[in-house]
Amino acid sequence: MPEVVLTSETDWTGWRTATRSLVLAGVEPAAVVWTVGGSPSGFPRSSGSFAVSRSLVTLAEQAIQAREPERFGVLYSLVWRAHAGEPVLDHPDDPDMRLARRLALAVRADAHRMRTHLRFLPMGDRLLGWYAPTHYVLEANAQCIARRFPAEPFSVITPDASAHWDGSTLRFGAGLARAVDDDTLRAWWEAHEAAILADSRAGTSVPEAEVLDEAPRPLDEPAIDPVVFPIAVAPALTAARREAERCERCSLCGPATQTVFGEGPANAAILFVGEQPGDQEDIIGRPFVGPAGQLLDQALEAAGIDRRGIYITNAVKHFKYEPRGKRRIHVSPSPEEIAACGVWLDAERACLRPKLLVLMGASAARAVLGRPVAVMRERGQAMRLGDGQMAFVTVHPSYLLRVPDGEARERDYRAFVRDLSTARDLADRL
Ligand code: URA
């Protein structure tokens, strides 16, 4: 009996090559044994090729990622029958076709769930995330994240395997079986890096690592510059962050990809507050990493403020948007949504006890001052809050991105930098 040994659960190339050979050699589906790993006992190899419909190939490509031992044989049987001229795709009630469609659907849903729930933790030079998908969707998802954010090194770890993107190469390695907290994840990463270093010193390669994709296809999306942040370590802050991940205090949690909590060192003297995560923050899971974040970085540097020393967060922790075609258009949060999210900002303030809060824009000012604020009138003044902390209002960097006239934008940018310098001096004196 011909036995096909695939190299991994997602060995699409191996399955496709074997399928082509076996169909051409006339091997009946019932005669083939499909296994993963181990030593091959061999199967008849035939050269040549044949075509089946693109829809059937797409269906097989998705269904093969399902955690279902029968899938290799079922998909082979569908291709075998299609090659024999049977219109298998037109038979929705056919048991093999029903199973393949069900598996492909489950894989697509699982891939979407993974992209939605995967939360990244800044760790050294990269973002680190752990997730337990139901199916074997790591590979396809990692390729998708790498294409979308080519400049952002990341590692995604699942119980089956891990994927590591360094900006040019996607490698796959061993997985981590249990659900983990941030500390375990960090320890695992340190051990993983130490093993790689030891291997490279010894001149050996990391055994399980496999180079999959040397040159990712560049997409239209702008690249995000990697920024290294110290991790907020206060345990109460970590607990608040975890709880906020499950927040359903308003309806924004539904359409948003994830909660975007603040980040920065637990001993930061200045807490910067924005409005809400934007499109890119929503996907990456970190505040101010998109265009407004890049402008903020530039202004902070011009004002002599090191981003690594401040804590940055938002009044609202979920992205509010309106879908328009393929784009997601920012919509300002309502006063009710700002109030509902206030518990998380309160938690951040209580844990960090910063000397100064820099409130960027009207939503941040309303969240902290509890009233509508005319930003242009109140900017640049220090205000004492009820708990003794000081607040300072300035414009939001997105406002500067919207100023249409180049000269006016330059003038407004300089005024923003001046505000930030004033805030820095104020915090130094407190
Ligand atoms: N605008 C914000 O207010 N916050 C972000 O994190 C990004 C854009």
Side-chain angles (χ1 to χ4, degrees), residues 274-278 281 286-289 292-293 314 396 398:
E275 182 189 70
Q276 62 170 350
E281 287 80 8
R286 294 166 53 201
F288 283 101
V289 291
N314 283 299
H396 190 285
S398 296

PDB file of all heavy atoms in Angstrom, residues 274-278 281 286-289 292-293 314 396 398, ligand 1:
ATOM      1  N   GLY A 274      -3.693  60.015  24.924  1.00  0.00           N
ATOM      2  CA  GLY A 274      -4.270  60.335  23.610  1.00  0.00           C
ATOM      3  C   GLY A 274      -5.752  60.039  23.632  1.00  0.00           C
ATOM      4  O   GLY A 274      -6.359  59.900  24.707  1.00  0.00           O
ATOM      5  N   GLU A 275      -6.329  59.905  22.462  1.00  0.00           N
ATOM      6  CA  GLU A 275      -7.779  59.682  22.405  1.00  0.00           C
ATOM      7  C   GLU A 275      -8.135  58.203  22.420  1.00  0.00           C
ATOM      8  O   GLU A 275      -8.749  57.690  23.351  1.00  0.00           O
ATOM      9  CB  GLU A 275      -8.332  60.341  21.134  1.00  0.00           C
ATOM     10  CG  GLU A 275      -9.832  60.211  21.019  1.00  0.00           C
ATOM     11  CD  GLU A 275     -10.337  60.663  19.671  1.00  0.00           C
ATOM     12  OE1 GLU A 275     -10.087  59.969  18.657  1.00  0.00           O
ATOM     13  OE2 GLU A 275     -11.001  61.720  19.620  1.00  0.00           O
ATOM     14  N   GLN A 276      -7.737  57.494  21.377  1.00  0.00           N
ATOM     15  CA  GLN A 276      -8.062  56.073  21.234  1.00  0.00           C
ATOM     16  C   GLN A 276      -7.088  55.479  20.218  1.00  0.00           C
ATOM     17  O   GLN A 276      -6.507  56.213  19.416  1.00  0.00           O
ATOM     18  CB  GLN A 276      -9.493  55.899  20.739  1.00  0.00           C
ATOM     19  CG  GLN A 276      -9.708  56.517  19.372  1.00  0.00           C
ATOM     20  CD  GLN A 276     -11.046  56.155  18.738  1.00  0.00           C
ATOM     21  OE1 GLN A 276     -11.760  55.292  19.211  1.00  0.00           O
ATOM     22  NE2 GLN A 276     -11.395  56.826  17.654  1.00  0.00           N
ATOM     23  N   PRO A 277      -6.890  54.155  20.226  1.00  0.00           N
ATOM     24  CA  PRO A 277      -5.990  53.574  19.230  1.00  0.00           C
ATOM     25  C   PRO A 277      -6.528  53.819  17.819  1.00  0.00           C
ATOM     26  O   PRO A 277      -7.743  53.884  17.620  1.00  0.00           O
ATOM     27  CB  PRO A 277      -6.004  52.074  19.553  1.00  0.00           C
ATOM     28  CG  PRO A 277      -7.098  51.857  20.540  1.00  0.00           C
ATOM     29  CD  PRO A 277      -7.466  53.167  21.132  1.00  0.00           C
ATOM     30  N   GLY A 278      -5.621  53.964  16.857  1.00  0.00           N
ATOM     31  CA  GLY A 278      -6.019  54.087  15.454  1.00  0.00           C
ATOM     32  C   GLY A 278      -5.950  52.713  14.790  1.00  0.00           C
ATOM     33  O   GLY A 278      -5.765  51.690  15.450  1.00  0.00           O
ATOM     34  N   GLU A 281      -2.638  50.824  15.503  1.00  0.00           N
ATOM     35  CA  GLU A 281      -2.531  50.479  16.933  1.00  0.00           C
ATOM     36  C   GLU A 281      -3.459  49.311  17.247  1.00  0.00           C
ATOM     37  O   GLU A 281      -3.133  48.411  18.011  1.00  0.00           O
ATOM     38  CB  GLU A 281      -2.924  51.688  17.796  1.00  0.00           C
ATOM     39  CG  GLU A 281      -1.905  52.819  17.817  1.00  0.00           C
ATOM     40  CD  GLU A 281      -1.962  53.732  16.594  1.00  0.00           C
ATOM     41  OE1 GLU A 281      -2.900  53.594  15.781  1.00  0.00           O
ATOM     42  OE2 GLU A 281      -1.055  54.588  16.451  1.00  0.00           O
ATOM     43  N   ARG A 286      -0.513  48.211  20.367  1.00  0.00           N
ATOM     44  CA  ARG A 286       0.278  49.169  21.147  1.00  0.00           C
ATOM     45  C   ARG A 286      -0.137  50.592  20.784  1.00  0.00           C
ATOM     46  O   ARG A 286      -0.453  50.862  19.620  1.00  0.00           O
ATOM     47  CB  ARG A 286       1.766  48.982  20.828  1.00  0.00           C
ATOM     48  CG  ARG A 286       2.309  47.658  21.295  1.00  0.00           C
ATOM     49  CD  ARG A 286       3.654  47.383  20.662  1.00  0.00           C
ATOM     50  NE  ARG A 286       4.549  48.477  20.868  1.00  0.00           N
ATOM     51  CZ  ARG A 286       5.633  48.709  20.118  1.00  0.00           C
ATOM     52  NH1 ARG A 286       5.920  47.911  19.118  1.00  0.00           N
ATOM     53  NH2 ARG A 286       6.429  49.716  20.383  1.00  0.00           N
ATOM     54  N   PRO A 287      -0.106  51.513  21.776  1.00  0.00           N
ATOM     55  CA  PRO A 287      -0.550  52.867  21.470  1.00  0.00           C
ATOM     56  C   PRO A 287       0.483  53.659  20.664  1.00  0.00           C
ATOM     57  O   PRO A 287       1.682  53.430  20.793  1.00  0.00           O
ATOM     58  CB  PRO A 287      -0.715  53.494  22.873  1.00  0.00           C
ATOM     59  CG  PRO A 287       0.231  52.745  23.734  1.00  0.00           C
ATOM     60  CD  PRO A 287       0.293  51.344  23.181  1.00  0.00           C
ATOM     61  N   PHE A 288      -0.022  54.550  19.846  1.00  0.00           N
ATOM     62  CA  PHE A 288       0.811  55.506  19.113  1.00  0.00           C
ATOM     63  C   PHE A 288       1.971  54.853  18.353  1.00  0.00           C
ATOM     64  O   PHE A 288       3.135  55.172  18.571  1.00  0.00           O
ATOM     65  CB  PHE A 288       1.326  56.594  20.066  1.00  0.00           C
ATOM     66  CG  PHE A 288       0.273  57.617  20.390  1.00  0.00           C
ATOM     67  CD1 PHE A 288      -0.416  57.563  21.587  1.00  0.00           C
ATOM     68  CD2 PHE A 288      -0.059  58.610  19.475  1.00  0.00           C
ATOM     69  CE1 PHE A 288      -1.412  58.485  21.882  1.00  0.00           C
ATOM     70  CE2 PHE A 288      -1.063  59.536  19.759  1.00  0.00           C
ATOM     71  CZ  PHE A 288      -1.740  59.480  20.962  1.00  0.00           C
ATOM     72  N   VAL A 289       1.628  53.938  17.464  1.00  0.00           N
ATOM     73  CA  VAL A 289       2.651  53.358  16.584  1.00  0.00           C
ATOM     74  C   VAL A 289       2.374  53.683  15.113  1.00  0.00           C
ATOM     75  O   VAL A 289       3.182  53.384  14.248  1.00  0.00           O
ATOM     76  CB  VAL A 289       2.769  51.823  16.753  1.00  0.00           C
ATOM     77  CG1 VAL A 289       3.350  51.452  18.086  1.00  0.00           C
ATOM     78  CG2 VAL A 289       1.427  51.147  16.526  1.00  0.00           C
ATOM     79  N   ALA A 292       0.199  59.119  13.625  1.00  0.00           N
ATOM     80  CA  ALA A 292       0.188  60.104  14.732  1.00  0.00           C
ATOM     81  C   ALA A 292       1.308  59.783  15.719  1.00  0.00           C
ATOM     82  O   ALA A 292       1.946  60.681  16.273  1.00  0.00           O
ATOM     83  CB  ALA A 292      -1.168  60.095  15.441  1.00  0.00           C
ATOM     84  N   GLY A 293       1.570  58.507  15.923  1.00  0.00           N
ATOM     85  CA  GLY A 293       2.628  58.081  16.841  1.00  0.00           C
ATOM     86  C   GLY A 293       4.002  58.483  16.316  1.00  0.00           C
ATOM     87  O   GLY A 293       4.880  58.897  17.083  1.00  0.00           O
ATOM     88  N   ASN A 314      -4.216  55.846  26.172  1.00  0.00           N
ATOM     89  CA  ASN A 314      -5.337  56.524  25.526  1.00  0.00           C
ATOM     90  C   ASN A 314      -6.521  56.610  26.473  1.00  0.00           C
ATOM     91  O   ASN A 314      -6.662  55.764  27.373  1.00  0.00           O
ATOM     92  CB  ASN A 314      -5.754  55.750  24.269  1.00  0.00           C
ATOM     93  CG  ASN A 314      -4.803  55.988  23.120  1.00  0.00           C
ATOM     94  OD1 ASN A 314      -4.634  57.108  22.665  1.00  0.00           O
ATOM     95  ND2 ASN A 314      -4.158  54.920  22.652  1.00  0.00           N
ATOM     96  N   HIS A 396      -3.680  67.273  19.931  1.00  0.00           N
ATOM     97  CA  HIS A 396      -3.395  65.876  19.589  1.00  0.00           C
ATOM     98  C   HIS A 396      -2.538  65.865  18.313  1.00  0.00           C
ATOM     99  O   HIS A 396      -2.774  66.672  17.406  1.00  0.00           O
ATOM    100  CB  HIS A 396      -4.719  65.151  19.340  1.00  0.00           C
ATOM    101  CG  HIS A 396      -4.553  63.677  19.213  1.00  0.00           C
ATOM    102  ND1 HIS A 396      -4.028  63.083  18.088  1.00  0.00           N
ATOM    103  CD2 HIS A 396      -4.813  62.675  20.084  1.00  0.00           C
ATOM    104  CE1 HIS A 396      -3.978  61.773  18.274  1.00  0.00           C
ATOM    105  NE2 HIS A 396      -4.453  61.498  19.479  1.00  0.00           N
ATOM    106  N   SER A 398      -2.641  64.063  15.778  1.00  0.00           N
ATOM    107  CA  SER A 398      -3.462  63.866  14.560  1.00  0.00           C
ATOM    108  C   SER A 398      -3.971  65.191  14.021  1.00  0.00           C
ATOM    109  O   SER A 398      -4.177  65.347  12.819  1.00  0.00           O
ATOM    110  CB  SER A 398      -4.693  63.001  14.856  1.00  0.00           C
ATOM    111  OG  SER A 398      -4.295  61.743  15.230  1.00  0.00           O
TER     112      SER A 398
HETATM  113  N1  URA B   1      -4.269  58.399  18.199  1.00  0.00           N
HETATM  114  C1  URA B   1      -4.451  58.254  19.520  1.00  0.00           C
HETATM  115  O1  URA B   1      -5.086  59.055  20.190  1.00  0.00           O
HETATM  116  N2  URA B   1      -3.890  57.227  20.105  1.00  0.00           N
HETATM  117  C2  URA B   1      -3.189  56.314  19.456  1.00  0.00           C
HETATM  118  O2  URA B   1      -2.726  55.378  20.086  1.00  0.00           O
HETATM  119  C3  URA B   1      -3.005  56.498  18.081  1.00  0.00           C
HETATM  120  C4  URA B   1      -3.562  57.542  17.456  1.00  0.00           C
END
